[in-house]
Amino acid sequence: MKVLVIGGGGREHAIVDALSRSPQVEKIFCAPGNAGIAAQAECVAIRETEVERLRDFAAQNGIGLTVVGPEVALAAGVVDVFKAAGLRAFGPTKAAARIESSKEFAKDLMAKYAIPTAGYRAFTDYAAAMDYVASRPLPAVLKYDGLAAGKGVVIAETMEEADAALKDMLLDDKFGAGKVVVEDFLTGPEFSFMCFVSGHKVWPMVLAQDHKRAFDGDKGPNTGGMGAYSPLPFITAEDERYALEKVLQPTADAMVAEGCPFEGVLYGGLMKTPQGIKVIEFNARFGDPETEVVLPRLKSDIVDIFCAVADGGDTQLVWHDFATLGIVLASKGYPGAYEKGCEIKGLDRVEGALYHMGTKADGSRILTSGGRVLFVVGKGATLAEARANALRDVARIGCDNLFHRTDIGHWAFEN
């Protein structure tokens, strides 16, 4: 089978890597791909949102399966376009992807079907939103209603912070014109629970935890994620069962009931609060960087899973019992302004898995081309061993313009 992966980041590199382990795969294409993906797939110069060009490429090259990575492609309706052309695509339709592309849609769905989440209200008017925040206890959670590349959430601890964020989102249209959802603040450890979903069928993946803040000690601005690890010792088997039976399965059932059945990866961003497990957010695709630590633990053939979901069939998931821990190397200045085009050396000395997030090739040289640049994964019998292996490999990479966190997995070590 020929497979096309849509996207060009670390998540897509991990998907390509998992596909490369399948004996069913004859050739992998990736659009647009990156410098690291090019070692395992043929990169195609088509952007994620050029849905008609992607469809035509798949049709002309005999692609038997297309796997959609990024949310922007799903929100652009790439799966709808592929299905209309009789092409097999793994991912939700544009209507089903609203569970991520509209925070308000997701919150209204949870309210209607009694899926546990924080209290909320949605606003398009800046003054009304400020009045509501002023009437509630701080901190307030402010979420831009649309897609914002993981950066459209502000936890405002003061009215001044709330004012600045609401002006960004509602007056200055920092992420585009839209709404803001104001949520009650919840406390507790967050964790990522991704499931393969096909209508009412839900197959859970192993759990992971992402680290959103830029610097050690969970300090600094929110990012798209600075590292992740799996498994999570502080989430019990009972917690996992509750999350599956009270959150992920009911959400899949609700999407069917609403006339937009979900097919693909349903990502539950959950929190273990003192009042129980609640939903922070849903995503309509593999999380990034969680995918890079979850898929290396998958023992099953991923092609069987992708095809079962896309075709409405059955499958089973088998997992390795080793631990994985991954560290992002990001450009200095990220998530703000940063320099591109810096040379990276020492990549050939890395012994563990290495996924490229934002790189480009310049002849034989590899250069930085994004905010998050590389993702280094360590494996081990324990999380401590996995972290030691990841940090050892990070130290082998040379680039003066990269920084990383040294405390990925700290919640597991401290609790």
Side-chain angles (χ1 to χ4, degrees), residues 70-197:
E71 57 271 33
V72 290
L74 295 168
V78 67
V79 171
D80 307 68
V81 169
F82 269 62
K83 287 190 171 182
L87 297 166
R88 181 196 275 145
F90 174 88
T93 61
K94 185 175 182 178
R98 282 181 300 161
I99 200 162
E100 174 172 12
S101 61
S102 171
K103 302 289 189 295
E104 186 180 29
F105 172 84
K107 295 295 284 191
D108 289 349
L109 185 84
M110 287 185 271
K112 181 175 179 179
Y113 291 93
I115 295 161
T117 190
Y120 74 102
R121 279 189 56 191
F123 297 91
T124 54
D125 181 74
Y126 159 78
M130 276 299 289
D131 287 345
Y132 179 73
V133 172
S135 73
R136 308 284 298 166
L138 292 171
V141 181
L142 313 175
K143 295 182 176 180
Y144 175 68
D145 183 50
L147 298 177
K151 300 178 192 123
V153 178
V154 173
I155 298 172
E157 299 189 9
T158 65
M159 287 304 296
E160 290 75 19
E161 289 178 6
D163 181 55
L166 289 172
K167 281 178 177 171
D168 271 351
M169 296 179 190
L170 291 175
L171 296 182
D172 299 337
D173 293 342
K174 181 177 180 180
F175 304 109
K179 297 181 180 179
V180 168
V181 172
V182 181
E183 290 188 3
D184 295 343
F185 179 73
L186 301 177
T187 59
E190 291 187 44
F191 63 102
S192 304
F193 194 3
M194 298 188 290
C195 293
F196 292 104
V197 174

Side-chain angles (χ1 to χ4, degrees), residues 35-47:
I37 290 172
Q40 292 177 288
E42 181 178 326
C43 293
V44 183
I46 305 176
R47 293 194 305 275

Side-chain angles (χ1 to χ4, degrees), residues 5 7 22 75 84 105 116 127 135 149 165 178 231 233 259-260 263 278 296 331 337 346 368 389:
V5 176
S22 171
F105 172 84
S135 73
C260 48
E263 293 177 357
K278 298 192 177 185
S331 296
T368 65
N389 288 337

